[in-house]
Amino acid sequence: MHDLRAIAALFQMRADFVEAQSFGSGHINDTYCAVYDQAGSRIRYIHQRINPNVFNDPILVMENVARVTEHALARLLADGHPEAHRRTLTCILAQDGKPYAIDAEGSLWRTYPFIEGAKGYDEIESNEQAYQAAKAFGSFQLLTADLAGGRLHETIPHFHDTPRRLAALETAIIQDPLGRAAAVQPEIAFARARAADCARITDLIASGKIPERVTHNDTKLNNVLLDEVTAEGICVIDLDTTMPGSALYDFGDMVRTATPSTREDETDPSQLSLRLDRFEALVRGYLSTATFLNSEEIRQLAFCGKLLTLECGIRFLTDYLLGDSYFKIKRPSHNLDRCHNQFAFVRVLENQMPAMEQIVARVVSESDQF
Ligand code: ADP
Ligand code: GN1
Ligand code: MG
């Protein structure tokens, strides 16, 4: 637990700090929800410490976040949106006017208004939520498509370069600092058997068939807040990896997190199945806003769900071998459990690929956009 009162003092809060608690279920940053008294009203803010093990240069992260959120706010205000400050993250400035502050230990903190009346779901509950989440992530891509000022920083270079993720697994197997590799040979074989799949999207990008776009790159379902009453996608959050990428990475991670019947770390694979109705809701929601997709991107929509699930499983396995230094864990086998779950879901997706492709074809044929 950090000293949040001291962190609060680094920012221009215009309110009196009351208390703060650890918040949310993100795997990366230290997130706190803080209550303030503002001239007699209780209001909440998010204070967040960027994880320095994950982001080598947190200032570059904040330069991207500031550019993207200022662009989003300007667009909402120009449209006269009545709740512009609820529809995008906005950075509260630090005492020196920067959108972040550095604490006494050298850690970088940022502060956002708490988006009220909306929720991020670890497990989605309805097709309507899946539709709204996908629609919101598609809108976010549309919004960032005309971001001025040149390319965003690559905050984690090669983030979704799946062949590199597989190569990083091979390096971890050789290093094996905790002697864990011997016991995970079936998992290693599972990943190696899918090396060709790993290269499909990177090859299509290299050949120019799939364009680079500004993408979010971390579109797990709890990174979009849905209105608690209407389920409308209110605000896309967790913008740390918003940078050049492929639209398919964003759609693939929605499939990974919105279509399985269980949570990412469910340990009983017999509970795991693919909700095809959720998949269809995602396709419909995403295509309702991502009208810029080309025919090759559309062709890969079903496959990229499998790719992102495979990639995430490879990343969990790599982190398990290297001693769990990247993803937050709550038990020693947590990353291995997550890997098992992701690989089990890859098998399910492989079996269901023809049905998923049929759904994409049907939705596209019913749309007049494509
Ligand atoms: P991580 O990178 O660790 O996933 P996130 O930026 O996603 O960090 O934040 C963690 C969680 O905190 C989110 O899943 C969400 O529940 C909550 N959260 C983050 N920012 C806000 C905000 N501005 N308003 C409300 N909740 C937020
Ligand atoms: C992390 O930050 P969070 O919890 O939203 C990770 C994603 C993974 C995800 C797996 C910066 O997302 O890439 O897909 O965990 N974020 C980063 O649950 O590595
Ligand atoms: Mg998150």
Side-chain angles (χ1 to χ4, degrees):
M1 181 82 187
H2 297 92
D3 178 358
L4 268 294
R5 190 179 288 274
I7 298 304
L10 301 174
F11 291 90
Q12 301 180 25
M13 300 308 301
R14 309 273 187 265
D16 303 308
F17 179 87
V18 178
E19 60 182 14
Q21 278 182 343
S22 199
F23 191 80
S25 54
H27 292 348
I28 302 295
N29 297 310
D30 294 329
T31 304
Y32 296 89
C33 172
V35 178
Y36 285 75
D37 183 309
Q38 190 186 54
S41 291
R42 291 287 158 117
I43 53 169
R44 300 199 283 178
Y45 287 90
I46 290 281
H47 294 301
Q48 223 175 18
R49 175 185 173 269
I50 297 193
N51 185 333
N53 298 333
V54 167
F55 297 100
N56 288 337
D57 193 339
I59 291 179
L60 295 189
V61 173
M62 289 315 295
E63 285 177 7
N64 280 1
V65 169
R67 276 181 64 194
V68 170
T69 54
E70 281 163 21
H71 177 74
L73 185 66
R75 180 67 52 82
L76 287 157
L77 291 173
D79 291 349
H81 201 292
E83 45 176 48
H85 288 80
R86 187 170 173 248
R87 302 290 172 140
T88 174
L89 291 177
T90 45
C91 296
I92 301 294
L93 299 183
Q95 300 298 1
D96 63 1
K98 294 205 173 82
Y100 58 84
I102 312 283
D103 72 10
E105 277 139 37
S107 293
L108 188 145
W109 289 82
R110 62 186 165 206
T111 299
Y112 298 128
F114 191 98
I115 309 292
E116 298 287 356
K119 213 174 130 188
Y121 293 82
D122 290 337
E123 261 177 304
I124 209 127
E125 290 159 3
S126 70
N127 291 344
E128 179 62 14
Q129 289 174 343
Y131 177 90
Q132 293 291 346
K135 184 179 167 197
F137 281 126
S139 295
F140 181 80
Q141 289 178 343
L142 199 57
L143 173 85
T144 50
D146 63 349
L147 186 70
R151 245 172 143 248
L152 289 168
H153 304 298
E154 292 192 45
T155 54
I156 303 181
H158 312 292
F159 190 56
H160 285 302
D161 183 330
T162 320
R164 272 186 190 250
R165 294 292 189 181
L166 189 60
L169 173 63
E170 296 294 351
T171 307
I173 295 164
I174 293 165
Q175 291 172 341
D176 196 20
L178 302 178
R180 288 176 163 178
V184 295
Q185 290 305 311
E187 291 79 5
I188 292 170
F190 183 95
R192 283 178 176 154
R194 286 160 181 79
D197 283 335
C198 288
R200 189 195 289 189
I201 301 301
T202 41
D203 285 354
L204 285 168
I205 293 171
S207 71
K209 291 190 176 138
I210 290 184
E212 178 181 286
R213 302 183 188 281
V214 177
T215 49
H216 181 283
N217 294 301
D218 191 0
T219 54
K220 77 195 239 193
L221 261 294
N222 65 16
N223 285 332
V224 58
L225 305 180
L226 307 181
D227 189 283
E228 279 167 8
V229 176
T230 64
E232 189 188 351
I234 296 296
C235 185
V236 169
I237 61 165
D238 203 348
L239 306 177
D240 303 340
T241 51
T242 300
M243 59 183 166
S246 159
L248 293 170
Y249 300 144
D250 284 2
F251 187 72
D253 213 53
M254 293 180 225
V255 176
R256 179 182 80 78
T257 54
T259 68
S261 55
T262 68
R263 304 169 80 97
E264 182 185 74
D265 57 359
E266 164 64 52
T267 50
D268 179 1
S270 70
Q271 300 298 310
L272 185 59
S273 62
L274 165 69
R275 302 273 319 240
L276 276 173
D277 53 339
R278 294 277 150 83
F279 178 73
E280 177 163 346
L282 282 184
V283 175
R284 287 190 185 282
Y286 186 55
L287 293 188
S288 74
T289 45
T291 48
F292 45 78
L293 296 177
N294 74 20
S295 55
E296 188 59 49
E297 288 171 305
I298 301 261
R299 243 194 302 284
Q300 302 300 337
L301 283 178
F303 170 78
C304 69
K306 171 182 157 185
L307 179 74
L308 270 282
T309 311
L310 175 63
E311 181 187 279
C312 205
I314 290 171
R315 293 174 63 197
F316 287 141
L317 183 57
T318 305
D319 198 34
Y320 176 71
L321 291 176
L322 294 178
D324 309 302
S325 57
Y326 188 98
F327 296 105
K328 291 187 177 190
I329 55 164
K330 296 206 170 99
R331 52 182 185 268
S333 66
H334 210 158
N335 273 318
L336 186 58
D337 294 343
R338 289 168 175 153
C339 163
H340 286 153
N341 174 293
Q342 299 291 290
F343 284 177
F345 197 54
V346 168
R347 277 195 205 283
V348 173
L349 289 164
E350 284 172 347
N351 291 332
Q352 297 284 343
M353 202 49 65
M356 294 166 74
E357 276 168 354
Q358 265 178 21
I359 287 171
V360 174
R362 181 156 44 79
V363 176
V364 168
S365 74
E366 287 168 18
S367 158
D368 46 17
Q369 295 282 348
F370 300 98

